[in-house]
Amino acid sequence: MTAVLLRDVRRFCTPRLVMLMLGCLLFSLAKRKGFSYSYEHFVLHMLSDHYYITFFMVPMFLYIIYSHLEDDLDYVLIRIKKFPRYFAVKSAAIGVNISIFVLLQLAVILAVGLGLPGGSGFPPADTQDSSIEVLLILGGYFQYPWQGSALTVLHMVLGLSVLGSSFMAMHHFFEKRWVAIITVGLFFLMVYAMKSKIPELTRIPFLFINNYIIFMYNLTFPYSFWVTYISLGMIAGGTAFWICRYWNKELKWQLKWRKPRGVLPYYGAQLFSAANAGILIVLIVLLSLWKWPQLQNLTGGTGTIADWMVYTFWGHGHGYFRPSDFLAMMLMNSAPVCLIAVFLQREWMDHSTPLTIRLASKRQWGCSVVGISSLFLLTYTVLLTAGSLLFPSFTGLPAGGVTILPGIEISLSKLWLYITAMKGLELLFQFLCMLLIFLWSRQVTAAFGGIVLMYAFYFLPYGWTQYVPVGMSSLSQHQVFAAAAEPGVPALSGQVIFLIMGLLTIILALYILIYGYKRRFR
């Protein structure tokens, strides 16, 4: 057992560690230049530097771990007899290797920092220097910088050791290329969580590994240590369970999907075509490019991601008329419904006897059309709202609350959830309403035109027009946002909007699936 551990440690001590130390030396020298605080501050600042950790240390860790993976040696397994015991020794070796990995970097940082003045405390909390924001955060939890440095090192060793052992377990069950795909995916998610400046992302365990490696991230929200260490324990426990219980099983990515029956796959191929996907993606990009300069002019370049979401999904309210907002709202809401209208027109023209024979019942036609169209609208809604988050994330907008409207206190995650839910519900209502008109009139153009004509109610100077469902997902029709932007504009509360949209959608869906679908075959 000791021989296996020592062999793994010797295999780990390769020239790759020299590359690690040289990279750490370059980053440390760059940080050391112009650093005007104490030696202890420099060490803690380097150990918590998420740019260094994310873009150099983690890639080196993944590269070394990946190159260190090897197939289990038969003669070693025969001598040890029990594979869980062999895996435990290999995991202990990973713990030793990770300790060497982290301590070598600590030694380089300590050496580079020599010559800086000593200091036992943290900078004052009212310091305006933004470059030491990390030190100010840590200063709220520790009395001395060396305490933060010690815990940062221990946390990093623990997190990297558990991750390394889990990667080794993946390699035992899966092919090496799958381990590479998973590790690269985790790295890109880590980079995105840091660059997006959305703190909520790093709070998601398992998918985002930032909190397992960078100690400082666990100080940014309540109960973070519970989430981090419980999820780390779940990873370690799950790894141990699979190794102890299924070590002799070979897992393969061979999932047997039940092939859809009936007309559902036929309709899905038409709606989820490359042309439709291209149209919607181009629309989302054009809307983002249209809204971006307007927001920059409005905020003077000081907006947040929440401001971007509010401005992009502001829409149009009642009692006034702004052409650009009205056009953006119509394009955003009508584009996917228009594509479904084209699909219905094609289905009406191409419907044939062989296609009817494939139906188990007439109701299957209604369920298939409603189901695949709802999935199409849900996909578009998530693509629209999530895609709208990517644009400001990559342009460097900070994550924060709403600043363009006074008195609005809502987190970015809640804002995104509200926009996504309301937008999806409104699009589903518009589709069901269009389908109902189509079933009664047999005219797709009239059905889609009826939905578009509903927007004409925005031009009427009556208070009851605020209850018209089309466009109701716009933030300008939410009472809180409308009052903050322009007091006196008619608007409804979020609960009333959800109630109206939900009831109308349920009523239309029940009618079409219980009775309305029969009109298609008359």
Side-chain angles (χ1 to χ4, degrees):
M1 301 294 287
T2 305
V4 173
L5 189 147
L6 293 177
R7 181 181 66 90
D8 279 7
V9 173
R10 284 194 299 268
R11 289 183 60 246
F12 185 80
C13 297
T14 63
R16 300 185 187 97
L17 296 182
V18 178
M19 293 173 53
L20 173 71
M21 296 176 68
L22 288 176
C24 181
L25 178 64
L26 293 176
F27 274 93
S28 300
L29 290 174
K31 184 68 69 175
R32 172 72 166 77
K33 185 178 180 180
F35 193 82
S36 58
Y37 295 90
S38 70
Y39 178 73
E40 291 81 358
H41 294 156
F42 172 76
V43 174
L44 180 56
H45 197 276
M46 275 300 302
L47 290 173
S48 304
D49 188 345
H50 56 231
Y51 283 99
Y52 163 72
I53 294 173
T54 303
F55 293 107
F56 179 75
M57 193 199 78
V58 171
M60 285 296 300
F61 160 73
L62 296 177
Y63 167 65
I64 294 176
I65 286 292
Y66 183 78
S67 61
H68 194 65
L69 296 175
E70 64 174 359
D71 294 330
D72 303 320
L73 303 175
D74 293 337
Y75 70 91
V76 175
L77 295 178
I78 293 173
R79 291 187 61 185
I80 296 181
K81 297 181 180 179
K82 293 184 178 180
F83 184 82
R85 188 181 178 191
Y86 167 74
F87 187 85
V89 175
K90 299 276 286 186
S91 298
I94 286 181
V96 174
N97 293 337
I98 293 300
S99 300
I100 297 173
F101 179 84
V102 175
L103 292 177
L104 282 177
Q105 297 174 83
L106 177 61
V108 172
I109 295 170
L110 290 172
V112 172
L114 292 175
L116 287 172
S120 59
F122 283 93
D126 57 352
T127 303
Q128 301 300 319
D129 188 354
S130 59
S131 64
I132 60 167
E133 181 181 0
V134 173
L135 296 178
L136 298 179
I137 294 175
L138 292 167
Y141 295 88
F142 301 103
Q143 184 176 1
Y144 303 108
W146 67 265
Q147 297 172 333
S149 299
L151 283 180
T152 299
V153 169
L154 292 175
H155 178 82
M156 192 177 296
V157 170
L158 176 62
L160 293 177
S161 299
V162 173
L163 292 176
S165 298
S166 64
F167 295 152
M168 185 173 64
M170 292 179 194
H171 175 251
H172 173 72
F173 290 111
F174 307 117
E175 297 178 7
K176 199 171 183 179
R177 61 190 178 96
W178 284 112
V179 181
I181 293 173
I182 293 172
T183 53
V184 171
L186 289 174
F187 174 69
F188 277 111
L189 286 175
M190 182 180 183
V191 173
Y192 175 71
M194 188 198 73
K195 295 293 289 182
S196 65
K197 301 184 184 300
I198 304 176
E200 286 83 1
L201 288 180
T202 61
R203 304 173 186 178
I204 303 175
F206 307 115
L207 289 179
F208 296 91
I209 60 175
N210 308 59
N211 285 19
Y212 301 142
I213 303 172
I214 305 175
F215 176 78
M216 185 266 299
Y217 278 8
N218 294 281
L219 305 177
T220 58
F221 66 99
Y223 308 109
S224 57
F225 286 106
W226 286 100
V227 174
T228 297
Y229 290 119
I230 289 176
S231 57
L232 265 181
M234 292 174 66
I235 294 174
T239 301
F241 173 79
W242 280 94
I243 290 296
C244 293
R245 190 74 179 269
Y246 303 106
W247 66 271
N248 57 341
K249 305 293 184 182
E250 183 179 0
L251 304 181
K252 296 182 178 180
W253 297 97
Q254 294 181 348
L255 301 179
K256 296 182 179 179
W257 299 96
R258 188 179 67 176
K259 188 176 180 180
R261 304 177 61 183
V263 297
L264 187 64
Y266 174 71
Y267 289 156
Q270 295 187 43
L271 262 184
F272 289 91
S273 64
N276 286 353
I279 291 171
L280 296 181
I281 291 175
V282 169
L283 173 66
I284 295 172
V285 172
L286 290 178
L287 285 173
S288 298
L289 294 176
W290 183 9
K291 291 287 187 179
W292 176 253
Q294 299 178 18
L295 178 64
Q296 292 297 94
N297 293 332
L298 179 64
T299 62
T302 60
T304 64
I305 296 180
D307 291 334
W308 164 262
M309 294 295 289
V310 169
Y311 193 75
T312 301
F313 295 96
W314 183 252
H316 197 284
H318 298 273
Y320 63 92
F321 179 66
R322 296 191 183 120
S324 61
D325 291 346
F326 187 78
L327 180 60
M329 178 183 68
M330 285 203 62
L331 286 174
M332 189 180 295
N333 295 343
S334 301
V337 180
C338 179
L339 294 178
I340 295 179
V342 174
F343 156 72
L344 289 176
Q345 179 67 27
R346 188 180 297 121
E347 194 278 337
W348 173 260
M349 296 178 64
D350 298 343
H351 198 82
S352 59
T353 302
L355 190 62
T356 304
I357 294 174
R358 293 183 65 185
L359 295 172
S361 63
K362 293 180 179 179
R363 179 176 281 112
Q364 188 188 19
W365 176 88
C367 294
S368 299
V369 171
V370 172
I372 200 65
S373 300
S374 300
L375 181 60
F376 179 74
L377 293 175
L378 176 63
T379 304
Y380 167 74
T381 303
V382 174
L383 184 66
L384 175 66
T385 55
S388 298
L389 281 176
L390 291 177
F391 188 82
S393 299
F394 288 119
T395 54
L397 275 185
V402 179
T403 62
I404 57 176
L405 295 176
I408 300 295
E409 297 291 340
I410 185 172
S411 65
L412 180 60
S413 57
K414 292 181 179 178
L415 179 64
W416 181 86
L417 184 61
Y418 173 82
I419 292 173
T420 303
M422 289 297 103
K423 184 65 65 179
L425 202 56
E426 181 192 347
L427 293 177
L428 186 58
F429 162 78
Q430 291 189 27
F431 154 67
L432 292 173
C433 188
M434 180 183 69
L435 181 60
L436 179 63
I437 299 174
F438 164 70
L439 291 173
W440 279 89
S441 67
R442 309 291 181 88
Q443 296 290 329
V444 176
T445 304
F448 180 71
I451 299 299
V452 175
L453 284 177
M454 289 186 184
Y455 287 97
F457 287 107
Y458 280 76
F459 304 116
L460 299 179
Y462 302 112
W464 56 266
T465 57
Q466 63 182 312
Y467 295 97
V468 176
V470 293
M472 193 173 278
S473 64
S474 301
L475 292 178
S476 59
Q477 299 195 35
H478 192 288
Q479 193 174 53
V480 175
F481 291 91
E486 190 174 348
V489 174
L492 302 173
S493 65
Q495 292 84 348
V496 173
I497 294 174
F498 180 79
L499 183 63
I500 293 174
M501 297 295 298
L503 285 177
L504 290 176
T505 301
I506 292 173
I507 291 172
L508 288 174
L510 290 176
Y511 172 79
I512 291 172
L513 295 178
I514 294 175
Y515 176 77
Y517 70 91
K518 299 177 183 178
R519 300 193 61 85
R520 172 63 182 80
F521 302 94
R522 292 182 182 179

